[in-house]
Amino acid sequence: METVSIDTITKKLKNAPQSVIERVIGYVDAIMENSKETKPYSLTEEQQNLLNEQVGLDIKEYTEAGKLYSNLKDKHEL
């Protein structure tokens, strides 16, 4: 947020009663909480289903990225 916007809010709230300040803080907290839940991307239904299927899998079923990369390089002689 630009400093000018923060300064404007500060000036408006300077003489506000405590109850107003508390409501504003609650409002800001709610906005911030909602922004954490918002994803900066979107997935297709198929992609989301693939991710959902992976939830709770045993860690032994995963392959380390470095090992996978090495295996692919070796397989394709890169």
Side-chain angles (χ1 to χ4, degrees):
M1 184 179 277
E2 294 180 25
T3 305
V4 174
S5 299
I6 293 172
D7 290 342
T8 301
I9 293 170
T10 303
K11 287 176 187 173
K12 286 186 178 271
L13 296 175
K14 184 175 183 179
N15 296 317
Q18 185 64 29
S19 61
V20 171
I21 304 283
E22 289 170 3
R23 287 175 54 198
V24 170
I25 290 171
Y27 179 70
V28 170
D29 287 344
I31 292 172
M32 295 303 293
E33 189 62 34
N34 287 340
S35 69
K36 292 177 187 174
E37 296 171 5
T38 305
K39 298 175 188 173
Y41 57 88
S42 62
L43 300 175
T44 65
E45 187 175 335
E46 181 183 9
Q47 290 170 326
Q48 186 63 56
N49 289 338
L50 286 170
L51 288 176
N52 291 344
E53 290 171 4
Q54 295 176 25
V55 172
L57 289 179
D58 187 351
I59 196 164
K60 295 175 187 171
E61 295 184 37
Y62 291 94
T63 303
E64 290 183 27
K67 185 175 181 182
L68 177 64
Y69 179 71
S70 294
N71 290 345
L72 286 171
K73 277 179 51 178
D74 293 343
K75 179 179 177 180
H76 298 284
E77 300 175 355
L78 299 174

